[in-house]
Amino acid sequence: MLELPVPSAFTPTSPLRQRFRPLWWLVITFLLISLATRVVLLVMSGGEVPHTPLNLLYAFGVGLGYDLVTCVYVAWPLVLLLWIVPTRAGRMSGLWRWQLSAVALLLTCALFLIALHLMYHATLKTTWPVLLPFLFMLPLTAFTYTSRTGQWVLYGFALLLLYGLLFVAASELVFWNEFSVRFNFIAVDYLVYTTEVIGNIRESYPIGLWLALLAAITLVLFALGRRALRVCDDGSRFWQRGKVALLWLVLTVISVAAVNGGMKDHTGNNYVNELAGNGIYQFFNAFRSNHLDYAKFYRTLPDDEAFRRVREMLKTPEATYVSDDPRDLTRAIRRVGPEQRLNVVLISVESLSGDYLGTFGNPDHITPYLDSLVGQSLFFDQLYANGTRTVRGLEALALSVPPTPGDSLLKERNNENLFSLASVFNDRGYQSDFVYGGYGEFDNMNYFFGHNGYRAVDRRDIPKSATIHSENVWGVSDEDLYTLAMGRMDQIHAEGKPFFLHLMTTSNHRPYTFPEGRVKQPNGTRQGAVAYTDWAIGDFIRRAREKSYFDDTVFVITADHCASSAGKTSVPVNRYHVPLWIYAPKHIAPQRVDRLMGQVDIAPTLLGLLNFSYRSRFFGYDLFQLEPGRERAFPATYEKLGYLHRDVLTVLEPGRKLEQMKPDYATGDAVPLQPQDEEEIAQTVAYYQVASELFKRGQLVRRPTDATAVEPLPAAASPVPAAASSAPTPAGSTAAPAAAGSAAAPAH
C-alpha cells in the first residue's frame, strides 16, 4: 500500500509533539476564555449592539483573529520553557549545565543592551525591560523536563498562566462596565498609578471575594485540563525544539507587521468594533501609542499652508498679530477700557456630564443648587470637552490648546514654562494656585502646574488640626477641598493680592464615597456622588458669601470631562457635552448663551469678561468677540482627534485615516458625510498639526515678551462687530455690548 510520508514531528508518538502538547492546552484555554469574555461583554452591551447576523459574525469572527494573534504573544513564556528546559539529565551535571547557560544568557543580554545603546543611544533606564525575558530563562536549565521537579514546575506555571488570564478577563468586565470599551490608554495610565488604582478597586469592589472565586475557577479548569499538562518527551533535542521556537518567532514578526489595533474599526457601531478586539492586544496597542508623533501617523498639510490656515482661523476682531512671522501665533488682545482685577476661582468638577442637570432634562433632581445657579450666572448651553480624561480637561483649561495625540501635555516631557492661563494672571500681580484634594503626583499634576505658573497645593497642605469629613484613595471629600481652597483665598487676600485658584474635585469618582447626612441619595452610588457634588458647591458658595472678597470674586464652574465616553460612534459628541457657569452677581449679568463652545474657549472668554488686554498664543476664542458661524470644539480620544464645526464632525485617525459625519447631539449617533467636505478636513488637519508642531519645537513656551503690557483701546475704537454675540459688561467697563447675533436665550 502506498503511504504518504508524514513528518515525524506530527506523528502521535513524536517526541516533539509530546513536548509541545501543553502549548495546545494553552491555545485552546486562551481561546475559550476570550470567547466567554466576548459573550459576557455582548450581554453587558445590551441594546447598544443589535444582534444581527452581520454584527455577531463581525464581532466573533474578527475577534477570533485578534485572539489568535494575542495568543501568539501570550504563549511566549510557555514556548521558551518548553524549548529551553532539557529533556533529561545528560553527561554534564545540572550545576555545570546551569552555569554555562547562565553565562551564555548574560553575554547575549549584554550584547542586546550594547546594540540598543549603539543604535539608539538608549540607556539602561529605558532598555531595562530587555532584562525580563533573560531573567525568566535563567532558571530553566537548572532542572529536567521529565523529572518530578519538571512536572511540578509545569503545573505551577500553568496555574499562574490560567489565573492570570482569568484575572485579566475579570478586569476587562470591570473596565467595560466603567468605560464600555476594551482596555485602552486609560488602562495604561492606570497601570502607572498603582496606588490610586488598586485603592480605588479595593474601595469599590469586594476584591477579596472575587480573587478567591477566580482561584476556585482556576483550580476547576486546571483539573479539567490536567491530562494535557503531563510531561512526556521520549527524546526531543534542543535543535528540534528550536524549530518550533523559530516558527513562533516568525508568527510574531508577521503579526506585528501585519496587524494593528485599528483594523477592527470598520463598522458604524463602535460597540461592535470594541467587541471584535482583544483586551490584552488593545492594552499593548495603547501602550505602543503612548507617544504618537502627529506628522508620522496622521494626515498632514504642507507646514506653510497649515500655519497660514491657523493664523487665519485664530483672527478675531480684538486681536492683532504682533509679528509677520507666518509661524508665530502671538496676538495682542486689546479691549476697551480698564481691566477688572477680580479674584477668580475656577472649579473643574470630576465627571460632571451635562446629562446630570435638570436644566438639560434630567428628571432625578440630583443637582438642585447648580440648576438654580443657571438663572444667576452666565451659563453656556453648548460647551464640549476636549477629551475623556481629567488631564485633557486640565490641559484645555490651563493651556487652551487642542488635544495632542497620545499623552496629554500634562504628562509629556519638556512641558515646563508653557504659556498658560496662570501666566496671564501672574503678570498682573495675582497669586495662582492649583488646588487638588488628593496627592498631586497622580497624572503628574503637581509637576505640571508647579512648572507652569501655579503653586501646587494638595492634601498634604491640609492642616493636621483640620477636620476631614470623608476621604478615599482619590482624595478628601469636596467640602474639605473647598475648605483648603478657602484657607488659601483668605491668606492671599490678607497679603493684599488678587487670587486665581484652579480647583480639581474628586468626589464624583468611583467609589463615590462622601460624608453621611449631606444628601438623601445612597453613599457609594453615582447619583449620590453627583448629588453630593452639587451640595458641596452650594455649601462652598454660601461660605464664600460671608467673606469680604466675595463681591469681587468670579466663580467659574465646569467639568473636566463627562462621566462616560462610550457610544456607537468613535467620538460620540453627547459624551463630551459639559456645563459652564460664570458666576459673579456684582459684576456679570445672568444670561444663557446657546452657541457652540470648546473647552479651549473658557480661558480667553473669562479673560475677556475681565476686560484684560494681553498677549496670547491660546487656540481658544473669546466667544463674545467671535462672529457667529466660526464656533468649533475639539472632542477627541487619545488617538482619534475630532473637530466639530458647522454641524460637521471630522475625526483624524492614525494611519492617516479620517471619517467625517453629521452628528446627532442628543444621542451621539452620526451619519457619514458624503461627499466629504475638504475645507473642513483641511481646517481639522491644520489645527492639530500646528498644535503638535509648536509643542514639539518648544514654541508653546512662555516668552519674556509675553509680559509686554498691551494698551487697551479707547472707547471710541471698540473692535467688536455688530454680528458678535452680546456679552455681559463687567462693572466699570466703558465697552458697550454689541447687538446680539447668536441664538442666546433671554437672561433669566
Side-chain angles (χ1 to χ4, degrees):
M1 180 181 294
L2 181 64
E3 293 185 0
L4 293 174
V6 180
S8 60
F10 298 98
T11 60
T13 58
S14 162
L16 200 58
R17 181 168 182 171
Q18 294 170 348
R19 169 65 78 111
F20 282 95
R21 185 169 58 178
L23 183 59
W24 286 108
W25 167 86
L26 177 60
V27 171
I28 294 170
T29 301
F30 179 82
L31 293 179
L32 289 175
I33 291 174
S34 299
L35 174 63
T37 302
R38 191 168 286 109
V39 170
V40 175
L41 294 180
L42 176 63
V43 173
M44 293 173 65
S45 302
E48 301 292 351
V49 179
H51 292 184
T52 64
L54 188 60
N55 279 343
L56 296 178
L57 182 63
Y58 190 90
F60 287 91
V62 175
L64 176 61
Y66 273 100
D67 293 344
L68 288 169
V69 169
T70 307
C71 187
V72 171
Y73 306 148
V74 169
W76 260 112
L78 185 58
V79 171
L80 290 175
L81 185 149
L82 296 173
W83 171 37
I84 293 174
V85 176
T87 303
R88 56 179 61 89
R91 297 177 181 178
M92 187 181 297
S93 70
L95 178 60
W96 274 104
R97 183 176 63 242
W98 179 81
Q99 288 176 337
L100 287 175
S101 65
V103 170
L105 282 171
L106 290 174
L107 288 174
T108 307
C109 183
L111 289 174
F112 262 90
L113 294 175
I114 292 170
L116 290 171
H117 177 71
L118 293 176
M119 293 170 63
Y120 304 107
H121 305 288
T123 64
L124 187 60
K125 184 177 180 180
T126 56
T127 59
W128 66 265
V130 173
L131 298 172
L132 298 180
F134 290 96
L135 292 175
F136 172 78
M137 291 187 285
L138 194 58
L140 297 185
T141 56
F143 57 92
T144 57
Y145 184 70
T146 54
S147 65
R148 182 185 295 269
T149 301
Q151 178 67 84
W152 284 107
V153 167
L154 182 61
Y155 279 164
F157 191 70
L159 279 168
L160 287 175
L161 274 176
L162 185 53
Y163 188 83
L165 292 175
L166 290 172
F167 181 84
V168 169
S171 300
E172 271 212 84
L173 302 185
V174 173
F175 194 81
W176 185 279
N177 184 59
E178 185 76 13
F179 301 105
S180 295
V181 292
R182 296 279 196 167
F183 289 144
N184 59 12
F185 197 66
I186 299 175
V188 175
D189 272 0
Y190 278 9
L191 189 66
V192 175
Y193 301 103
T194 53
T195 300
E196 288 83 358
V197 173
I198 292 174
N200 181 42
I201 293 171
R202 290 179 59 188
E203 293 174 356
S204 303
Y205 304 102
I207 191 67
L209 176 62
W210 287 8
L211 292 176
L213 184 60
L214 286 177
I217 297 173
T218 299
L219 292 174
V220 170
L221 293 179
F222 175 79
L224 292 174
R226 184 180 174 186
R227 289 185 60 186
L229 293 168
R230 290 176 182 169
V231 296
C232 185
D233 186 341
D234 290 337
S236 69
R237 297 185 179 277
F238 181 79
W239 66 269
Q240 292 175 317
R241 302 193 297 272
K243 294 179 181 179
V244 177
L246 180 61
L247 173 63
W248 219 255
L249 178 62
V250 170
L251 291 174
T252 302
V253 172
I254 292 174
S255 65
V256 169
V259 181
N260 63 68
M263 293 176 67
K264 61 182 174 52
D265 301 330
H266 289 296
T267 77
N269 187 313
N270 199 54
Y271 285 91
V272 176
N273 295 336
E274 290 292 332
L275 286 171
N278 178 281
I280 298 174
Y281 184 93
Q282 296 304 124
F283 176 87
F284 286 101
N285 181 72
F287 189 84
R288 188 169 56 181
S289 303
N290 192 352
H291 299 283
L292 288 171
D293 186 302
Y294 180 89
K296 181 178 180 181
F297 290 98
Y298 293 86
R299 186 174 294 200
T300 59
L301 295 169
D303 277 352
D304 289 343
E305 180 184 350
F307 276 91
R308 178 187 61 77
R309 282 181 171 276
V310 170
R311 277 177 63 100
E312 184 66 29
M313 289 187 290
L314 289 182
K315 282 183 180 179
T316 50
E318 86 287 16
T320 304
Y321 282 103
V322 302
S323 167
D324 292 331
D325 183 348
R327 300 194 179 192
D328 186 0
L329 303 185
T330 308
R331 284 117 43 221
I333 309 297
R334 302 183 69 192
R335 302 303 303 267
V336 177
E339 298 180 347
Q340 306 305 305
R341 302 293 178 91
L342 304 177
N343 305 306
V344 175
V345 178
L346 168 59
I347 307 173
S348 46
V349 182
E350 172 67 39
S351 304
L352 186 63
S353 304
D355 290 345
Y356 293 134
L357 298 181
T359 298
F360 291 133
N362 189 298
D364 297 327
H365 306 293
I366 53 177
T367 57
Y369 180 78
L370 290 173
D371 287 328
S372 71
L373 202 62
V374 169
Q376 306 171 47
S377 307
L378 188 60
F379 184 77
F380 297 81
D381 284 296
Q382 292 191 57
L383 172 65
Y384 289 87
N386 265 29
T388 61
R389 296 291 320 284
T390 295
V391 285
R392 288 304 190 185
L394 297 178
E395 173 187 88
L397 294 170
L399 303 178
S400 185
V401 293
T404 52
D407 261 335
S408 161
L409 297 188
L410 263 75
K411 301 166 71 175
E412 286 281 11
R413 296 178 180 178
N414 304 316
N415 66 353
E416 302 87 357
N417 195 37
L418 303 179
F419 184 83
S420 69
L421 179 58
S423 65
V424 178
F425 282 112
N426 294 344
D427 287 340
R428 285 151 180 77
Y430 281 68
Q431 171 60 49
S432 300
D433 286 2
F434 173 74
V435 188
Y436 180 58
Y439 295 115
E441 286 77 18
F442 184 77
D443 272 343
N444 205 42
M445 288 186 285
N446 274 359
Y447 183 88
F448 171 81
F449 284 102
H451 288 79
N452 285 286
Y454 299 78
R455 176 164 49 187
V457 180
D458 67 9
R459 69 192 296 176
R460 296 183 187 88
D461 296 289
I462 298 175
K464 293 183 179 180
S465 59
T467 300
I468 303 298
H469 295 86
S470 175
E471 61 183 322
N472 57 37
V473 68
W474 295 111
V476 297
S477 62
D478 285 358
E479 62 190 89
D480 298 318
L481 166 68
Y482 295 138
T483 299
L484 172 62
M486 199 168 293
R488 296 291 309 135
M489 294 155 65
D490 291 343
Q491 180 180 337
I492 299 168
H493 180 70
E495 295 170 357
K497 298 170 66 176
F499 54 77
F500 164 53
L501 264 64
H502 184 165
L503 281 54
M504 182 66 229
T505 75
T506 60
S507 290
N508 191 29
H509 192 296
R510 191 179 296 277
Y512 311 130
T513 56
F514 47 86
E516 296 289 346
R518 299 297 192 247
V519 296
K520 63 182 180 180
Q521 288 80 3
N523 217 305
T525 65
R526 170 70 84 174
Q527 282 215 335
V530 174
Y532 172 71
T533 294
D534 176 83
W535 179 92
I537 292 173
D539 179 67
F540 175 49
I541 299 294
R542 285 188 289 271
R543 285 191 282 161
R545 202 182 300 276
E546 304 300 319
K547 303 293 183 177
S548 59
Y549 49 75
F550 175 80
D551 285 347
D552 292 323
T553 301
V554 179
F555 295 87
V556 182
I557 306 169
T558 189
D560 56 350
H561 57 83
C562 280
S564 172
S565 59
K568 293 181 181 179
T569 59
S570 57
V571 181
V573 294
N574 64 321
R575 300 301 191 186
Y576 292 80
H577 182 217
V578 294
L580 170 64
W581 297 257
I582 300 181
Y583 175 65
K586 297 291 185 180
H587 295 275
I588 298 176
Q591 181 182 342
R592 286 187 73 160
V593 181
D594 191 21
R595 299 179 71 186
L596 176 66
M597 184 181 188
Q599 218 170 12
V600 297
D601 300 324
I602 293 178
T605 299
L606 168 65
L607 296 175
L609 291 169
L610 296 174
N611 226 46
F612 280 11
S613 295
Y614 62 101
R615 285 197 172 189
S616 173
R617 276 191 301 283
F618 291 149
F619 280 75
Y621 295 132
D622 175 352
L623 196 65
F624 296 113
Q625 301 296 316
L626 190 68
E627 305 92 331
R630 294 182 59 195
E631 305 92 340
R632 78 285 178 269
F634 299 95
T637 68
Y638 72 96
E639 64 175 3
K640 297 189 177 183
L641 311 176
Y643 178 67
L644 184 60
H645 179 235
R646 294 185 182 273
D647 290 331
V648 174
L649 177 63
T650 306
V651 180
L652 305 179
E653 300 176 2
R656 305 188 188 279
K657 297 185 294 184
L658 68 82
E659 52 184 331
Q660 198 172 61
M661 60 204 87
K662 285 278 188 180
D664 186 316
Y665 292 89
T667 67
D669 294 345
V671 178
L673 189 65
Q674 294 295 340
Q676 292 185 334
D677 188 323
E678 294 299 328
E679 176 61 25
E680 291 293 320
I681 293 172
Q683 290 183 21
T684 308
V685 171
Y687 266 125
Y688 282 110
Q689 180 177 333
V690 167
S692 297
E693 276 296 299
L694 288 177
F695 177 74
K696 184 178 179 180
R697 297 176 183 177
Q699 293 177 356
L700 290 181
V701 298
R702 173 174 162 75
R703 307 167 188 169
T705 53
D706 291 337
T708 302
V710 176
E711 289 296 320
L713 290 171
S718 173
V720 183
S725 173
S726 60
T729 307
S733 173
T734 58
S742 72
H748 285 222

